[in-house]
Amino acid sequence: MIKAVISGTGLYTPPATIDNDELVEAFNQFVDLYNAEHADAIEQGEVTALQQSSSAFIEKASGIKRRHVIDKEGILDPRRMTPHIPERSNDERSVQCDMAVVASEEALARAGKTAADVDAVIVACSNMQRAYPAMAIEVQQALGIEGFAYDMNVACSSATFGLQAAVNSVENGAARSVLVVSPEICSGHLNFRDRDSHFIFGDACTAILVEREADTRAGQGFEILGTSLKTKFSNNIRNNFGFLNRADESGIGKPDKLFVQEGRKVFKEVSPMVAQTIQNHLGSLGLTAGDLRRMWLHQANLNMNQLIARKVLGRDPSLDEAPVILDEYANTSSAGSIIAFHKHSDDLETGDLGVICSFGAGYSIGSVVVRRR
Ligand code: CO8
């Protein structure tokens, strides 16, 4: 039987950062402008005054300290509050493709492979910057890969669902190796005017190379012991942006065409589902939580990750057991758990077990159990 391994990972981190104080300062300037512009309506009770944001709340509620973004100026302009990412001509590479190429080249280099060794590309992320042609086919062309490519979107769980698709393709012989790339431009679909969520997301791109074990060096990378996916429909994380928006003008400009969520409900409903999914997955592989050396969890909220790890392990996790990158990156949707894996896996020793687990809109949960070779 063909076995699949993760032989290399890559990461593109946009150079621009916004810390909480900068973000809050811009938000509060926007609030002052808004409240001044609507002063009469607010006084007459027709409009609700907006409230200021606070860095202390953001760090306490989420653990986020800063985020990397494609464009800083547009987000921090209180009259704009949206990244400025100029459209490119059809003859130029798209922004997502540029990010994907950098992350993929690092994954290939770390695996010691070239484009000629790869048969497929999956671009798996929350938002594609266009409907078609598939972003993955553009990335395939940019990297010079033969074979096939396709896009998939399962929100924050896109990368782990993409990993399962890659494992399937490798193990059933459809491809020798597959690149799973997650170019997340979360700032493009974040409402920076919404106090409840303006701090949540950042931008980044990850890439993972999944190969046949037989094509890799002994001791290289991670054996994939199994993947387990779970979905359950929920409206608590939703984005109604889509191609039918133009067919009903009454919806244009409504906030639901960007990311919206019931954060508290998500926290309460998703955390136990994730812990259960990981435990069930380990059980199906004949393993227990005590066998785990590390958990690379989706990076949305620090308190949520600590709760999930506590439920799985039966005690508080150490930072070494459940590493955190969301303080630096915020929530980068599907890239988050892979960034944690990319940055915190080189120190594992042969035989060490870990789980990559993402969770988010859908609801969707993806668990991937790996063993250091
Ligand atoms: N500053 C100051 N005070 C604030 C702020 C703020 N910015 N925001 C809210 N408050 C206030 C509230 O008004 C409230 O006040 P009061 O108690 O008087 O009513 C108080 O603070 C508490 O508010 P919340 O109950 O909302 O705060 P929580 O403690 O629940 O924290 C979180 C909010 C951080 C959002 C938390 O609920 C959370 O992280 N939940 C989980 C969210 C999650 O994991 N979501 C996953 C989404 S990711 C995904 O799948 C998306 C994929 C698509 C990506 C697309 C990119 C855009």
Side-chain angles (χ1 to χ4, degrees):
M1 186 198 152
I2 299 172
K3 274 194 186 169
V5 303
I6 294 175
S7 57
T9 56
L11 169 66
Y12 169 73
T13 302
T17 59
I18 300 178
D19 68 25
N20 288 344
D21 286 346
E22 291 173 293
L23 191 74
V24 165
E25 189 187 338
F27 181 87
N28 290 346
Q29 283 172 7
F30 154 73
V31 167
D32 290 344
L33 286 169
Y34 179 94
N35 288 346
E37 273 166 32
H38 297 83
D40 290 344
I42 291 170
E43 204 171 297
Q44 277 152 36
E46 292 158 9
V47 169
T48 308
L50 297 182
Q51 290 175 276
Q52 301 229 317
S53 183
S54 111
S55 295
F57 169 83
I58 294 171
E59 192 169 341
K60 183 165 174 286
S62 69
I64 296 164
K65 295 180 181 163
R66 65 190 71 83
R67 67 283 296 142
H68 291 261
V69 290
I70 299 288
D71 174 66
K72 177 170 178 167
E73 280 70 30
I75 294 169
L76 293 186
D77 176 351
R79 295 192 182 277
R80 180 178 170 89
M81 309 289 278
T82 303
H84 180 63
I85 304 173
E87 255 186 35
R88 297 181 180 182
S89 80
N90 290 355
D91 298 327
E92 294 172 280
R93 272 191 202 166
S94 62
V95 180
Q96 273 185 309
C97 181
D98 271 348
M99 298 165 80
V101 166
V102 176
S104 300
E105 282 175 344
E106 186 185 1
L108 287 171
R110 284 168 67 116
K113 292 289 155 70
T114 68
D117 301 306
V118 182
D119 285 340
V121 178
I122 302 173
V123 166
C125 64
S126 292
N127 294 291
M128 307 294 167
Q129 70 175 87
R130 62 167 183 264
Y132 40 80
M135 301 304 306
I137 303 176
E138 187 186 0
V139 174
Q140 176 195 4
Q141 147 121 341
L143 291 168
I145 291 170
E146 296 291 327
F148 64 94
Y150 58 90
D151 292 346
M152 56 186 284
N153 173 0
V154 203
C156 289
S157 293
S158 299
T160 49
F161 278 55
L163 268 172
Q164 171 157 302
V167 169
N168 289 346
S169 280
V170 167
E171 291 188 346
N172 72 21
R176 291 168 300 161
S177 71
V178 182
L179 260 176
V180 182
V181 196
S182 301
E184 293 285 11
I185 309 182
C186 299
S187 62
H189 263 216
L190 178 54
N191 184 354
F192 287 98
R193 295 186 176 90
D194 174 37
R195 176 175 176 257
D196 290 344
S197 63
H198 75 113
F199 55 89
I200 290 182
F201 291 101
D203 305 331
C205 177
T206 52
I208 312 157
L209 187 65
V210 177
E211 291 192 79
R212 296 191 296 212
E213 186 182 34
D215 294 337
T216 59
R217 298 186 307 274
Q220 182 190 1
F222 286 79
E223 186 184 347
I224 299 170
L225 298 187
T227 57
S228 174
L229 311 182
K230 171 95 185 146
T231 51
K232 188 172 192 284
F233 188 74
S234 168
N235 280 320
N236 289 333
I237 312 168
R238 197 161 168 127
N239 184 334
N240 286 334
F241 177 79
F243 73 97
L244 286 181
N245 293 163
R246 64 187 283 275
D248 179 1
E249 292 79 356
S250 71
I252 291 171
K254 281 194 185 161
D256 72 334
K257 306 305 181 295
L258 296 167
F259 166 88
V260 286
Q261 76 164 352
E262 295 280 347
R264 279 268 158 114
K265 285 188 186 160
V266 173
F267 195 112
K268 278 196 189 127
E269 293 174 8
V270 172
S271 304
M273 280 171 63
V274 174
Q276 195 63 59
T277 301
I278 293 173
Q279 278 164 337
N280 291 349
H281 191 197
L282 290 171
S284 73
L285 296 167
L287 301 166
T288 67
D291 296 317
L292 285 178
R293 171 73 180 79
R294 191 159 290 163
M295 303 169 80
W296 300 278
L297 295 175
H298 175 50
Q299 303 282 316
N301 179 296
L302 184 57
N303 304 322
M304 200 171 179
N305 281 16
Q306 285 170 343
L307 176 64
I308 291 166
R310 201 178 303 133
K311 277 179 189 287
V312 171
L313 299 175
R315 58 176 168 76
D316 285 336
S318 68
L319 271 178
D320 185 64
E321 288 171 314
V324 174
I325 59 94
L326 61 79
D327 53 345
E328 164 77 20
Y329 283 83
N331 181 345
T332 52
S333 193
S334 66
S337 57
I338 309 303
I339 299 174
F341 179 73
H342 174 79
K343 285 185 173 276
H344 298 280
S345 54
D346 285 348
D347 60 321
L348 263 56
E349 289 176 7
T350 301
D352 280 347
L353 279 170
V355 60
I356 302 171
C357 185
S358 66
F359 41 88
Y363 297 133
S364 57
I365 302 170
S367 167
V368 181
V369 175
V370 296
R371 179 162 57 202
R372 178 82 209 207
R373 295 176 67 214

